[in-house]
Amino acid sequence: MTGSVELSPVDLEILRLLQNDARMSNKDLAAAVGIAPSTCLDRVARLRETGVITGQHAQVDAAKLGRPLEAFLFVQVRPHRRPLVDPFVQHLLALPEVRAVYHLTGPDDFLAHVATSSAAELQRLVLDELTARDEVARVHTNLVFQHWSGGPLLPPARP
């Protein structure tokens, strides 16, 4: 869904709380924002229906799953045309090492966040799954030493 949605201060507080703990019960969420549980359930349902809430997920520690080496792969695709872009993105998303893919402006066309078991596995991924493809002109790799997540995403403050 495109465009912004009108959100009340209660809606914003619901979003803030759910982004910090998506497992929060409706009863606890309602109490935290000061509304009845049935009203809270309706508001959360509306946030889902309007596309403001797009899903829930569990954060997973890649290292504990045997993938301690994370990297960002900046990929240049040539020619950069839709008939090549869509299949390339689907190829990336099908790889088990890929955590996220971004389509960019600038000198690189894509950014892929990957998690691998080792440097040798990262090398295999780059050589066998990326640079072996005809449309891939260049791959630039940056290793991730550490990462931090930001706080809840809310709309910009209005003056």
Side-chain angles (χ1 to χ4, degrees), residues 2-153:
T2 59
S4 61
V5 175
E6 278 293 318
L7 299 172
S8 73
V10 172
D11 293 330
L12 293 174
E13 184 63 7
I14 288 171
L15 288 174
R16 188 186 68 74
L17 290 167
L18 287 177
Q19 285 181 80
N20 285 324
D21 181 4
R23 294 178 59 188
M24 181 179 250
S25 73
N26 184 64
K27 180 181 172 185
D28 291 342
L29 183 60
V33 298
I35 58 177
S38 60
T39 303
C40 187
L41 200 58
D42 290 342
R43 284 180 178 259
V44 171
R46 186 179 66 80
L47 291 168
R48 290 183 202 286
E49 289 166 9
T50 57
V52 174
I53 295 177
T54 59
Q56 295 175 212
H57 73 278
Q59 285 185 294
V60 176
D61 185 328
K64 290 185 178 170
L65 292 178
R67 296 179 183 277
L69 185 65
E70 292 189 63
F72 288 107
L73 307 179
F74 294 87
V75 183
Q76 192 177 74
V77 174
R78 292 294 176 257
H80 189 182
R81 294 190 193 130
R82 186 163 302 281
L84 292 176
V85 167
D86 293 338
F88 179 70
V89 169
Q90 293 309 309
H91 174 73
L92 286 176
L93 292 174
L95 298 171
E97 300 87 356
V98 175
R99 302 197 67 188
V101 176
Y102 304 89
H103 195 187
L104 308 173
T105 63
D108 297 303
D109 301 312
F110 295 96
L111 170 63
H113 177 199
V114 301
T116 64
S117 59
S118 65
E121 186 60 20
L122 178 59
Q123 181 184 29
R124 183 210 59 78
L125 178 68
V126 170
L127 293 177
D128 296 345
E129 299 293 346
L130 296 175
T131 59
R133 294 180 63 94
D134 290 337
E135 71 271 26
V136 174
R138 183 177 69 85
V139 176
H140 175 86
T141 304
N142 284 26
L143 296 180
V144 175
F145 289 138
Q146 194 170 0
H147 73 273
W148 297 265
S149 293
L153 181 63

